[in-house]
Amino acid sequence: MNIFRLTGDLSHLAAIIILLLKIWKSRSCAGISGKSQILFALVFTTRYLDLLTSFISLYNTSMKMIYIGCSYATVYLIYMKFRATYDGNHDSFRVEFLVVPVGGLAVLINHDFSPLEILWTFSIYLESVAILPQLFMISKTGEAETITTHYLFCLGLYRALYLFNWIWRFYFEGFFDMIAIVAGVVQTVLYCDFFYLYVTKVLKGKKLSLPA
């Protein structure tokens, strides 16, 4: 464990908590892409199947269970408890255009052709693009609530910190995972536009909007 991984995990956890609190306190999921949240739930489910086969540490197990539990809780709030506030008209990204190619890529390019390894690889690839429905939704509506932008910022920060984590591990542990690194770079690049708008608008008290 190094400082970049720890702060990355905490940033990821903060993003999840911010989103849940936003929905619960406002009693509304307006502006939140349910499709992105379903994709994240799928990411955590397929990535952490090793919970059934191995134990690494209490921290590792706890974080995995929190991610899975919170992702399904978010999906429940959006599609069940506060379904009346869900904006399905703007959440229109075709997720099959992400899931199908990612699934095919995971079968073709992986570290080991076994069910658990393919599913883990699938989760890595899918996470890199799972935020696209949310960004697409913001682009269609033209703006996002400040609390939603904080969620997105923490999510992007988590991924950026993990890039530094991999650099650290390469130099100090000799660890190198091309699949995780390439997917992480792709995901970070997707947030670049958002980071710029967050700094130039949200931090100055303005509403964030993405170019259509």
Side-chain angles (χ1 to χ4, degrees):
M1 177 71 71
N2 60 68
I3 188 63
F4 297 113
R5 179 177 176 182
L6 179 60
T7 52
D9 286 347
L10 293 178
S11 179
H12 195 184
L13 183 60
I16 293 171
I17 292 174
I18 286 172
L19 182 62
L20 280 171
L21 288 177
K22 183 269 181 195
I23 296 174
W24 188 258
K25 285 191 172 183
S26 66
R27 317 296 287 181
S28 169
C29 55
I32 303 299
S33 168
K35 291 185 176 181
S36 269
Q37 297 310 310
I38 287 176
L39 292 181
F40 281 123
L42 184 57
V43 165
F44 298 137
T45 301
T46 53
R47 180 174 303 171
Y48 299 141
L49 289 172
D50 62 344
L51 284 171
L52 304 174
T53 61
S54 61
F55 177 82
I56 298 175
S57 68
L58 181 60
Y59 171 83
N60 184 275
T61 297
S62 299
M63 292 299 280
K64 288 177 179 179
M65 292 180 68
I66 289 172
Y67 290 154
I68 293 173
C70 287
S71 66
Y72 279 97
T74 304
V75 170
Y76 167 76
L77 292 178
I78 293 174
Y79 287 101
M80 300 293 290
K81 190 169 184 64
F82 303 122
R83 184 175 181 178
T85 65
Y86 170 57
D87 186 4
N89 291 327
H90 286 116
D91 192 16
S92 56
F93 192 94
R94 299 284 296 277
V95 293
E96 61 268 29
F97 291 157
L98 299 178
V99 175
V100 174
V102 161
L105 188 62
V107 172
L108 294 173
I109 304 176
N110 51 69
H111 295 308
D112 178 45
F113 197 76
S114 64
L116 283 180
E117 187 64 29
I118 291 173
L119 288 172
W120 178 87
T121 306
F122 170 79
S123 77
I124 295 296
Y125 292 152
L126 184 60
E127 186 184 22
S128 69
V129 294
I131 199 62
L132 283 176
Q134 179 66 65
L135 297 178
F136 182 75
M137 187 176 186
I138 293 175
S139 179
K140 287 193 71 175
T141 58
E143 62 182 23
E145 294 180 26
T146 300
I147 191 68
T148 304
T149 64
H150 294 333
Y151 155 71
L152 290 171
F153 177 78
C154 286
L155 205 57
L157 181 61
Y158 136 72
R159 181 44 62 192
L161 286 168
Y162 254 66
L163 290 181
F164 289 105
N165 165 60
W166 291 321
I167 293 172
W168 176 283
R169 295 191 65 184
F170 175 74
Y171 279 103
F172 292 98
E173 302 174 19
F175 174 83
F176 184 78
D177 188 331
M178 180 60 76
I179 288 176
I181 291 173
V182 171
V185 169
V186 170
Q187 187 174 0
T188 305
V189 168
L190 291 178
Y191 282 95
C192 285
D193 238 9
F194 171 80
F195 282 145
Y196 172 77
L197 293 173
Y198 185 85
V199 171
T200 58
K201 291 189 176 183
V202 178
L203 294 185
K204 293 182 179 179
K206 302 176 182 179
K207 273 199 169 186
L208 179 142
S209 60
L210 291 178

